[in-house]
Amino acid sequence: KKKDKPRIILKNLIKDCTMSKKIVIVLFSRIGIIAMSLVLALLMLQGVWDVFDSINIIDQQHAMEEIIADLAAILVAFGVALEERETLLKFVGLYPDGLTPQQGRMDHHCHGHGLSLLLLGLFSEVAVYLIRMPDINTLDFDMVLIALGAVLNLAGGGMLIRLSWLLWRDSDQIEAH
């Protein structure tokens, strides 16, 4: 019966919410975050694969820079959203009534992983910006910076998979890390 209480609270909140609040609640639910994280992790893997597949083709440098910068922007945006999950759920009215120990652990995991994604994305963007700065001659290091950006994006994909795993296996008996 204890496990049913949060579900009843969630169902009542969803029933009484506007459509935009319902969308936030669904997207930032455990399954919503897992699904988005896995899709984004696959996107990171595909993008990094494309970059490393073209790394020796100098004509493709601009395209590789764009891929890295765009993936990095996604990491930053999703990282900020994850980091502020608790605030968003307070805003839509799910908290404090819907705050369970499991939701608290989710907030903890999302905050830490969100901050990590934010930083990885920012440093990946810095690698691309170093190449594009007009007053700095990085020609000899362009491919190294591209590879660095790609590795940082790949690390972001790994963080997304780790977050998905932590949220998937979570139950009332698992302590927060």
Side-chain angles (χ1 to χ4, degrees), residues 5-161:
K5 185 180 177 192
R7 289 182 184 167
I8 291 170
I9 292 170
L10 181 61
K11 285 181 184 178
N12 289 339
L13 281 169
I14 289 176
K15 182 176 65 174
D16 296 335
C17 286
T18 62
M19 182 56 78
S20 60
K21 288 183 179 181
K22 288 178 185 177
I23 291 170
V24 169
I25 290 171
V26 170
L27 288 177
F28 287 91
S29 69
R30 182 172 155 254
I31 298 302
I33 292 172
I34 290 170
M36 287 187 293
S37 294
L38 292 176
V39 167
L40 292 178
L42 290 173
L43 181 65
M44 295 295 147
L45 183 61
Q46 177 64 46
V48 170
W49 179 271
D50 289 346
V51 167
F52 281 126
D53 192 42
S54 303
I55 199 97
N56 291 324
I57 305 170
I58 198 70
D59 294 344
Q60 295 295 317
Q61 180 173 335
H62 181 71
M64 291 184 286
E65 291 172 14
E66 288 297 318
I67 290 170
I68 291 167
D70 293 347
L71 291 176
I74 291 169
L75 285 177
V76 169
F78 194 59
V80 169
L82 286 175
E83 188 180 15
E84 292 300 322
R85 178 184 186 271
E86 181 179 9
T87 304
L88 280 169
L89 294 180
K90 283 179 184 174
F91 178 74
V92 299
L94 182 61
Y95 288 177
D97 292 337
L99 182 58
T100 64
Q102 184 181 33
Q103 292 293 332
R105 288 188 302 276
M106 281 185 61
D107 291 339
H108 173 78
H109 293 313
C110 287
H111 182 80
H113 284 76
L115 180 60
S116 297
L117 292 172
L118 172 65
L119 292 172
L120 287 168
L122 286 173
F123 286 125
S124 181
E125 286 180 340
V126 166
V128 173
Y129 292 143
L130 285 172
I131 296 169
R132 293 180 178 173
M133 288 180 70
D135 295 335
I136 296 178
N137 184 8
T138 61
L139 190 58
D140 295 338
F141 302 105
D142 284 359
M143 290 306 151
V144 172
L145 291 169
I146 287 173
L148 175 63
V151 168
L152 291 170
N153 286 339
L154 190 60
M159 291 295 294
L160 290 165
I161 291 169

